[in-house]
Amino acid sequence: MMDDDIKKAEKRGYARGYAAGKQFRLRGMQAERTLREEQAFWDRAYLVLLPFAFEQQGWKFGDQAITKPQDRTKLAAEWATTALQTRRLRRP
């Protein structure tokens, strides 16, 4: 009788561990998917904003005028980051 109880407890422990591991993997996969989706959105926004940033005149970062290509790419990156942070996600 005692051996049966021990075996049942081992089975329950295994089942709980298996379920916990499965949930852990699912959460990890969901986090990776979210990261890939956010990176793809940022990349698309950046590529759309980059030509626009190069056309702008008179913009500044604080007191520094934006004149160099590095500054313009930084401006496009800032805009893409803002777009990513403020976007509304559509959930199925």
Side-chain angles (χ1 to χ4, degrees):
M1 186 76 168
M2 202 147 183
D3 288 336
D4 290 339
D5 292 338
I6 292 172
K7 286 182 182 180
K8 287 179 185 177
E10 286 176 350
K11 268 187 161 180
R12 283 192 306 270
Y14 175 81
R16 286 182 185 153
Y18 179 82
K22 189 173 179 180
Q23 286 297 319
F24 179 78
R25 283 190 307 278
L26 285 175
R27 281 193 303 271
M29 290 180 348
Q30 289 170 343
E32 288 176 18
R33 180 179 176 204
T34 299
L35 184 62
R36 281 193 314 270
E37 289 173 354
E38 288 178 349
Q39 183 64 51
F41 178 89
W42 189 92
D43 291 342
R44 286 190 310 272
Y46 177 74
L47 291 175
V48 167
L49 291 164
L50 192 57
F52 181 74
F54 270 87
E55 294 174 0
Q56 300 312 303
Q57 300 296 322
W59 286 66
K60 294 181 179 184
F61 277 124
D63 293 336
Q64 182 182 1
I66 297 175
T67 56
K68 297 182 278 185
Q70 295 88 348
D71 295 335
R72 295 182 186 284
T73 56
K74 181 181 172 185
L75 180 62
E78 293 287 330
W79 286 340
T81 300
T82 300
L84 175 64
Q85 292 170 347
T86 58
R87 76 179 180 150
R88 293 175 58 185
L89 296 177
R90 289 182 287 165
R91 298 286 180 191

